[in-house]
Amino acid sequence: MLPFAYQVFSTVVSEGTFQKAALKLNVTPSAISHSVTQLESDLGFPVFVRSRTGAELTPNGELILPIIQEILNNVARLQQEADNINGLNSGLIRIGAFSSVCINWLPPIIQAFKKQYPRIDISVSQSGFDQIVRDVKNGTLDIGFVVLPVHEDRLIVDSLIQDEIYCVAPKGFVPENRHSVTKDDLADFDFILQPGDYDRDTKATLDYYGIQPNLIHFSIDDQSIVAMVEAGLGLGILPELALQKIIGDVVVYPFEHTFYRSIVLVTSSVQAKTPSTQHMLNQIHTYIADMYPEALLTRNETK
């Protein structure tokens, strides 16, 4: 039988505190503390640094995290295989995605999936690309939506679409050639992006045109970028997927030179074999093929 301490360890990592882990596992905080203490005694070293604000992994705890997570994932995979043999189709799928995928793709994907597999539970977490890759690598996520490049050779990387990047401008802005934005059109403007790895491809667009860093300002999300552009505070640089459900009195133009980000799926070789994960991967690819038939043609041409 799977040691309860492994479940406790993983839950404390994901929840951040012993109290939240206790609520998640429906046990007392003292049971969580006792389990962690016993695990540390068995291993011979501490796995958490405890503080008033929560519990953080020690360096040794970081080392054993992927090992314990792999044990938990293999047990879950075994249970799913047994359920499949018995005709049940149950399990849990943990998906990590960035904001525009959460808003535009995941609702219809999950809705269609739940109609076919109502007994399979799904959890979704939103974070940056690098964090999603780390979580898939550690086994705390089964599937991740990210963009290239993925600096992790041990993960399976599956291409989805090329997401073109556009210039978002206040109403009344018209490029000199009237149909695409050139370097000259960008003169005398500030630019509004999201911070961190989310906007590395849009930042690369500005690098191509030699935009100085002091002209780049940051906002918290795509909608707030559009609101600031609408107020005349600068130009936004956003991918097509991020613009699908954005509301604002702005205009959108392509660049004279086409820029895009490559959206991909990442999974581990272990989790990709799990029946529930296989079902979800198939559902995702069915959705992409229906919504972006040109992406399917591109994938076939490159095989």
Side-chain angles (χ1 to χ4, degrees):
M1 181 177 292
L2 183 68
F4 178 64
Y6 293 171
Q7 293 177 307
V8 168
F9 175 83
S10 178
T11 306
V12 172
V13 171
S14 62
E15 297 298 315
T17 70
F18 282 23
Q19 180 69 37
K20 290 181 179 178
L23 291 172
K24 185 75 174 287
L25 295 174
N26 196 27
V27 297
T28 64
S30 61
I32 297 294
S33 180
H34 175 76
S35 179
V36 170
T37 300
Q38 184 61 52
L39 178 63
E40 291 177 328
S41 175
D42 292 343
L43 294 172
F45 52 81
V47 296
F48 290 112
V49 177
R50 301 158 178 81
S51 68
R52 291 181 179 179
T53 58
E56 295 185 1
L57 285 170
T58 63
N60 287 332
E62 292 275 5
L63 288 175
I64 69 168
L65 172 60
I67 299 172
I68 288 182
Q69 196 60 54
E70 184 176 0
I71 293 171
L72 291 170
N73 290 340
N74 281 330
V75 170
R77 181 183 166 201
L78 173 62
Q79 184 60 58
Q80 288 185 36
E81 290 287 5
D83 288 344
N84 280 348
I85 292 170
N86 292 318
L88 296 178
N89 280 322
S90 64
L92 169 65
I93 305 169
R94 301 157 300 175
I95 301 173
F98 52 98
S99 60
S100 51
V101 167
C102 288
I103 293 170
N104 295 291
W105 286 358
L106 286 182
I109 288 172
I110 293 174
Q111 184 181 43
F113 184 87
K114 292 296 285 185
K115 287 181 179 178
Q116 191 171 1
Y117 305 103
R119 292 175 57 86
I120 298 179
D121 294 324
I122 300 169
S123 69
V124 177
S125 60
Q126 180 178 317
S127 57
F129 305 135
D130 293 341
Q131 184 61 53
I132 292 171
V133 169
R134 284 194 295 269
D135 289 343
V136 172
K137 176 185 174 183
N138 289 334
T140 53
L141 287 176
D142 304 311
I143 299 171
F145 289 85
V146 297
V147 301
L148 293 179
V150 176
H151 301 294
E152 181 50 64
D153 295 336
R154 288 173 290 178
L155 295 182
I156 299 170
V157 180
D158 196 1
S159 297
L160 293 178
I161 68 165
Q162 303 295 311
D163 193 19
E164 187 170 352
I165 294 171
Y166 290 87
C167 181
V168 183
K171 190 174 182 180
F173 173 93
V174 180
E176 186 175 348
N177 64 22
R178 308 193 69 82
H179 58 79
S180 63
V181 173
T182 68
K183 182 176 182 178
D184 291 340
D185 294 316
L186 302 178
D188 302 321
F189 279 101
D190 287 354
F191 300 86
I192 306 165
L193 308 180
Q194 285 196 46
D197 63 358
Y198 180 79
D199 256 331
R200 59 193 179 199
D201 290 303
T202 51
K203 175 65 167 57
T205 302
L206 296 183
D207 290 342
Y208 177 86
Y209 288 114
I211 303 301
Q212 298 300 312
N214 63 312
L215 298 177
I216 300 173
H217 309 282
F218 297 100
S219 189
I220 57 174
D221 57 34
D222 299 331
Q223 183 62 65
S224 64
I225 289 174
V226 171
M228 291 183 179
V229 171
E230 186 177 11
L233 301 179
L235 300 181
I237 314 294
L238 288 171
E240 183 176 5
L241 184 61
L243 291 166
Q244 287 188 4
K245 293 186 179 179
I246 291 293
I247 300 173
D249 195 10
V250 295
V251 292
V252 178
Y253 286 96
F255 289 95
E256 60 170 343
H257 176 85
T258 303
F259 302 95
Y260 59 85
R261 62 180 182 179
S262 300
I263 301 179
V264 300
L265 288 175
V266 289
T267 54
S268 71
S269 58
V270 172
Q271 290 309 99
K273 297 175 183 176
T274 302
S276 59
T277 301
Q278 291 176 0
H279 294 325
M280 177 55 78
L281 291 173
N282 290 337
Q283 186 66 55
I284 292 169
H285 283 297
T286 296
Y287 175 82
I288 295 298
D290 289 343
M291 293 296 294
Y292 305 92
E294 70 282 0
L296 182 61
L297 288 175
T298 301
R299 281 164 55 86
N300 290 336
E301 288 171 0
T302 57
K303 287 182 180 179

